[in-house]
Amino acid sequence: MSWSAKQYSMFEQQRTRPVRDLVAAIATQNVQSAIDLGCGPGNSTEVLAERFSDARITGLDSSEDMLADARQRLPDLTFELADIGDWNPAQTYDVILANASLQWVPDHAVLYPRLVKRLNPGGSLAVQTPDNLEEPAHRLAREIAANGPWADKIASVKHPDRHPAAYYFEWLKPHCADVDVWRTTYHHPLSGGHAAVVEWFKGSALRPYLQKLDQGEQAAFLDAYLNAIRQAYPALADGTVLLPFPRLFIVAVR
Ligand SMILES: C[S@@+](CC[C@H](N)C(=O)[O-])C[C@H]1O[C@@H](n2cnc3c(N)ncnc32)[C@H](O)[C@@H]1O
């Protein structure tokens, strides 16, 4: 399953809340240039453009489907098809935003300091990554991948490594005037209950598994996942599931 703007945007309101909190914490003044790395359907770019309305704003993503939505949403901005892992622009920026994207890019020890080098002095790197690899939603996906008839195809699927706050702080501090790191657990109310939890992760964390399976296997995998999610996340009286979602935030100032 490649990235789908339609699937991802099913929960746009909840998914955009963290980027509002992240962008609100950027203290850089007189921002003239900003880029949104992994801009998705443009929801995070829109928040960036609202906050820095006088700046030249660019969005970058490796998914054509996401970029098509972003261009439709924000026709006056520039959007580029590129991979964050290879991104090495000639210019520098006042703000580099990456909301819910760098968890898909490997080798953070090299990546984060490299991004800081693309900042102007006083500029901010603002990053939010899900900190949920040990949450039931991820753990159960790994267990089902390893124990089903599809194990030879997907048991070895691995998300790129993520690290504790202290690692990011130590990698960034030598290159920065200030580094602010914090962690928040959101509790996203999903009125569609357990099926909505599955739809949420179909749009993100389950993709690497599902893309290696045929249609029949995908249906069976999702069925097993739904049953496991039912056990792991209690529903409220009206059927809503309050999905706990820990996220790590970093604002690093060069
Ligand atoms: C979870 S979405 C985040 C979208 C948006 N930034 C937001 O705040 O909701 C992750 C986005 O990162 C993009 N992405 C993943 N890996 C990437 C890479 N290596 N280079 C560029 N974009 C990437 C995906 O295509 C997707 O649009």
Side-chain angles (χ1 to χ4, degrees):
M1 246 179 114
S2 55
W3 283 98
S4 156
K6 187 163 172 246
Q7 183 74 30
Y8 185 74
S9 299
M10 281 173 76
F11 303 98
E12 176 166 314
Q13 209 189 331
Q14 291 97 328
R15 293 196 199 271
T16 305
R17 165 83 190 278
V19 75
R20 292 191 189 289
D21 296 345
L22 177 63
V23 167
I26 299 172
T28 300
Q29 301 291 311
N30 191 22
V31 171
Q32 295 181 6
S33 58
I35 186 157
D36 183 9
L37 300 180
C39 62
N43 56 321
S44 47
T45 325
E46 191 167 37
V47 174
L48 192 63
E50 279 166 11
R51 167 83 199 276
F52 301 113
S53 51
D54 294 334
R56 277 186 323 281
I57 309 258
T58 307
L60 177 152
D61 205 283
S62 55
S63 157
E64 284 282 17
D65 193 61
M66 290 291 196
L67 287 173
D69 264 42
R71 288 187 178 113
Q72 201 169 26
R73 181 193 300 246
L74 298 163
D76 295 337
L77 302 190
T78 305
F79 289 94
E80 290 172 17
L81 181 71
D83 193 305
I84 297 165
D86 307 330
W87 185 67
N88 193 15
Q91 81 162 95
T92 48
Y93 293 83
D94 294 322
V95 171
I96 298 177
L97 173 73
N99 188 66
S101 53
L102 298 189
Q103 75 275 18
W104 297 103
V105 185
D107 207 356
H108 286 184
V110 173
L111 176 67
Y112 280 55
R114 184 159 62 74
L115 295 181
V116 169
K117 292 207 176 93
R118 305 323 307 157
L119 288 173
N120 294 322
S124 294
L125 170 67
V127 179
Q128 181 272 123
T129 44
D131 192 8
N132 62 346
L133 287 179
E134 297 312 319
E135 290 293 296
H138 267 274
R139 192 173 37 74
L140 293 169
R142 289 195 293 271
E143 283 172 20
I144 293 166
N147 294 315
W150 39 67
D152 56 336
K153 287 189 186 175
I154 57 172
S156 62
V157 164
K158 206 173 167 303
H159 286 259
D161 285 343
R162 299 174 208 175
H163 307 275
Y167 281 77
Y168 292 100
F169 188 87
E170 284 187 326
W171 291 334
L172 287 167
K173 196 67 187 90
H175 309 277
C176 294
D178 186 55
V179 182
D180 186 15
V181 186
W182 71 103
R183 188 177 188 271
T184 303
T185 299
Y186 293 84
H187 293 268
H188 298 298
L190 303 186
S191 58
H194 296 109
V197 177
V198 176
E199 291 302 320
W200 176 293
F201 288 105
K202 254 171 84 178
S204 51
L206 296 183
R207 289 182 32 262
Y209 301 104
L210 297 176
Q211 70 191 3
K212 292 184 181 250
L213 301 178
D214 65 33
Q215 263 193 328
E217 290 169 327
Q218 285 185 12
F221 181 98
L222 290 171
D223 209 34
Y225 188 66
L226 174 60
N227 283 331
I229 289 290
R230 275 202 188 99
Q231 309 300 317
Y233 293 94
L236 305 180
D238 70 352
T240 298
V241 172
L242 216 44
L243 175 69
F245 204 121
R247 297 176 182 272
L248 189 72
F249 293 78
I250 300 173
V251 176
V253 180
R254 181 165 190 193

